Amino acid sequence: MSHGKVSAIIAGASGLVGDELLHQLLGHPLIQTVYSLSRRELPFHSSKLVQIIHPELRVTSWEDTDRIPTIGFICLGTTKKQAGSNQALEAVDFQLVEKVANTMHLLGVKHIVVISSLFASPFSPSHYLRCKGKMERALKKMGFDHCVFIRPGPLKGERSQPRQDEKIVQNIFRLLQPLVIGPLAHLTPIPAENVASSMLELALLAESDALNKITTVSGRALFANQEKLMQD
């Protein structure tokens, strides 16, 4: 499938998936310009990259000559341990993501791809999963042409600040991998670079209008998507 060149904006490029996704965006021949929305300058240098730095991830100025990003990526997220409380976690995983998505929509983004979580639901008994579910529900109402929610299981990769819970899950699944079948297969740890490449490919499919308006890709389906990309 052929695509014209497009511009994209990403928030959360300093995280595990976001860092990998930024590398892939900068190296992709169909991506013309990449705007990175972050709290501090990132250690990247590329003629494609435009860094927008604001402590609250806001865009306070925009020139008429700037290319409009039609694709947006949000890779923001935290844990209760990192945030310090349920309220602080909700401020990031729900409220901040909602604000950033609204900013992207105002800039002209038509297709948004967002990292969520496996089993996300606004009615979940888990506060973390409830925040992710409320975030998804809010973004669906914003008027994007396409909303793509990525719900991976545990992530594999090296974080700048390792999450002990992810390491524990990875070690457990290394031992139990032969027994992981059926619905449990969704919990198989997936490398961050695989999640990032799926996000990029799905964004380009959305740009060419080859996706449903609302698309959710969960757990094992991300592996299937990667296998398809490798065959193509």
Side-chain angles (χ1 to χ4, degrees):
M1 183 177 297
S2 61
H3 307 271
K5 288 194 173 183
V6 296
S7 294
I9 183 169
I10 177 172
S14 62
L16 180 60
V17 175
D19 176 84
E20 179 61 40
L21 179 57
L22 180 58
H23 278 89
Q24 294 187 23
L25 287 167
L26 294 176
H28 201 288
L30 297 180
I31 304 298
Q32 189 172 30
T33 304
V34 180
Y35 297 95
S36 171
L37 183 56
S38 60
R39 295 186 178 90
R40 59 188 66 85
E41 187 174 358
L42 302 174
F44 293 97
H45 299 283
S46 169
S47 58
K48 286 186 177 183
L49 181 62
V50 178
Q51 298 204 41
I52 304 171
I53 302 170
H54 192 281
E56 298 179 6
L57 301 183
R58 294 179 181 174
V59 178
T60 57
S61 64
W62 193 265
E63 301 296 331
D64 292 339
T65 54
D66 292 338
R67 293 189 178 96
I68 301 299
T70 55
I71 297 174
F73 299 94
I74 302 181
C75 305
L76 299 169
T78 187
T79 64
K80 182 178 178 179
K81 183 176 180 180
Q82 289 178 315
S85 67
N86 281 342
Q87 184 178 12
L89 184 150
E90 184 165 354
V92 174
D93 282 38
F94 173 31
Q95 296 166 4
L96 180 60
V97 173
E98 182 183 27
K99 290 176 182 177
V100 169
N102 187 59
T103 294
M104 290 183 177
H105 188 256
L106 292 174
L107 286 178
V109 167
K110 297 182 180 298
H111 321 287
I112 194 160
V113 184
V114 187
I115 290 284
S116 183
S117 176
L118 195 63
F119 310 127
S121 169
F123 310 106
S124 173
S126 161
H127 179 75
Y128 174 78
L129 297 178
R130 195 162 59 249
C131 287
K132 294 293 190 183
K134 291 195 298 185
M135 174 274 291
E136 291 186 7
R137 184 172 60 186
L139 269 56
K140 290 175 184 177
K141 298 177 181 179
M142 284 189 181
F144 291 104
D145 288 1
H146 295 92
C147 277
V148 181
F149 299 108
I150 304 296
R151 295 179 174 180
L155 296 171
K156 293 171 64 176
E158 294 297 324
R159 293 184 185 272
S160 57
Q161 295 181 328
R163 291 182 180 177
Q164 193 61 33
D165 55 344
E166 286 181 350
K167 287 191 173 183
I168 292 172
V169 170
Q170 290 172 22
N171 290 333
I172 291 173
F173 267 83
R174 258 192 291 272
L175 298 173
L176 299 180
Q177 186 65 45
L179 303 176
V180 176
I181 58 175
L184 288 178
H186 286 301
L187 293 169
T188 304
I190 182 170
E193 60 266 28
N194 288 15
V195 177
S197 57
S198 288
M199 292 178 72
L200 177 51
E201 179 65 18
L202 288 164
L204 293 175
L205 287 174
E207 179 73 24
S208 62
D209 203 26
L211 289 182
N212 294 328
K213 181 178 177 64
I214 307 296
T215 299
T216 301
V217 185
S218 299
R220 190 65 192 169
L222 288 168
F223 285 97
N225 189 57
Q226 280 304 300
E227 291 165 2
K228 177 180 180 299
L229 295 182
M230 290 175 68
Q231 292 169 1
D232 294 346

